[in-house]
Amino acid sequence: MSEGIRLQKVLAGAGLGSRRHCEEMIADGLVEVNGRTITEQGVRVDPLSDVIRVDGARIPPPRRHVYLVFHKPRGVVCTMEDPQGRTTITDYLGRRTKEGLFHVGRLDTPTEGLLLITNDGDFGQRMAHPSQEVSKTYVAEIEGVIENVTLRKLSRGITLEDGPVRPDQVKLIQRGGTRSIVQVALHEGRNRIVRRMFDAVGHPVRRLTRTAIGPVRIGRLKVGELRELTSEELGALMDLAGL
């Protein structure tokens, strides 16, 4: 372990309680540094490079970068600037436009929902790379009443023009009248993959919303609003990204 800051001070600085409470967590064997359980007091760590966990949950390092969740509205172009003058993500950043932010991955212009925004290049590159296989959840309003046999077909996987796709989950939310609502979770990042899946089974998407990326949920975040990632969310994403 590198010379640095006392572990209990790092934990307290991360908002886990008073210094005394953090010392108790260490004594109880709840704290792990670089895969080793720490029970002695006064151990020094480097919070920027050491991987620290409390009761299994990753404690992210002090933030040198910005990590945001954005609820992208329908019709907003998923780019930071647009030569055609269309509304982009930058139009929602306010004073943060000077922080060197960029979006992680993409959402189609007609698609709304959760988008990660950061100025951490390593984090953005890792999160966007297909090898990380971070699950993404969507809610699709589709045309027609989808049958159970079609839902099972999607769950088993189908083949599109650019190869097979097998969702992690296909869950019926509602059906009736002229529409159905289906939740889909998948690791795929191919262009328009959810829309093309439903096109392939004869149920074109009317409206599509991404509701989650890994452990990050859109929750009550309103359309067009931003919020900071919580420490728990950032720690979990760093684990997923292999950081």
Side-chain angles (χ1 to χ4, degrees):
M1 301 218 181
S2 58
E3 290 297 323
I5 304 171
R6 289 180 180 272
L7 180 56
Q8 56 265 48
K9 183 176 180 180
V10 172
L11 298 178
L16 296 178
S18 67
R19 192 84 60 90
R20 175 61 183 161
H21 178 66
C22 293
E23 290 173 350
E24 291 173 355
M25 289 194 295
I26 293 170
D28 290 340
L30 299 177
V31 181
E32 185 181 284
V33 179
N34 298 330
R36 184 164 73 89
T37 299
I38 304 298
T39 55
E40 64 269 29
Q41 304 297 332
V43 169
R44 292 182 177 272
V45 298
D46 181 350
L48 296 179
S49 61
D50 290 329
V51 176
I52 303 169
R53 299 181 188 278
V54 174
D55 204 15
R58 173 83 173 267
I59 306 303
R63 298 192 187 195
R64 296 178 296 167
H65 300 283
V66 176
Y67 306 91
L68 301 174
V69 181
F70 176 49
H71 190 159
K72 186 186 92 67
R74 294 168 64 191
V76 171
V77 182
C78 197
T79 184
M80 305 310 288
E81 56 183 40
D82 181 62
Q84 300 178 39
R86 294 173 295 181
T87 302
T88 69
I89 297 167
T90 301
D91 293 305
Y92 292 85
L93 296 181
R95 297 177 182 176
R96 293 185 177 272
T97 55
K98 298 180 181 180
E99 296 180 316
L101 298 169
F102 60 90
H103 53 91
V104 179
R106 299 182 61 83
L107 283 176
D108 296 337
T109 301
T111 302
E112 71 177 64
L114 195 154
L115 192 67
L116 298 178
I117 298 176
T118 187
N119 55 9
D120 184 342
D122 289 339
F123 174 81
Q125 186 176 26
R126 291 287 191 95
M127 284 297 301
H129 198 279
S131 65
Q132 299 307 322
E133 295 190 345
V134 178
S135 181
K136 301 174 181 66
T137 304
Y138 299 82
V139 173
E141 178 185 329
I142 59 176
E143 293 183 8
V145 178
I146 193 167
E147 300 294 336
N148 289 339
V149 64
T150 306
L151 292 168
R152 288 194 293 270
K153 179 179 179 180
L154 288 170
S155 296
R156 289 193 299 266
I158 60 174
T159 300
L160 304 175
E161 66 273 13
D162 57 352
V165 55
R166 184 175 182 180
D168 304 321
Q169 179 197 60
V170 177
K171 179 181 178 182
L172 179 67
I173 303 298
Q174 181 183 333
R175 64 183 164 198
T178 61
R179 67 167 193 164
S180 302
I181 298 177
V182 182
Q183 179 176 289
V184 178
L186 72 172
H187 288 79
E188 287 279 358
R190 281 180 279 169
N191 187 40
R192 302 183 71 253
I193 189 71
V194 176
R195 294 180 185 275
R196 291 192 289 128
M197 281 173 48
F198 283 107
D199 282 343
V201 295
H203 293 278
V205 171
R206 291 181 177 178
R207 184 167 186 164
L208 184 63
T209 303
R210 183 157 70 190
T211 58
I213 298 176
V216 183
R217 303 287 184 265
I218 205 161
R220 297 181 180 179
L221 190 66
K222 296 179 181 178
V223 175
E225 287 188 344
L226 294 153
R227 68 168 175 85
E228 298 270 358
L229 278 174
T230 67
S231 293
E232 291 79 10
E233 290 169 337
L234 181 57
L237 288 177
M238 285 183 161
D239 274 348
L240 288 172
L243 291 169

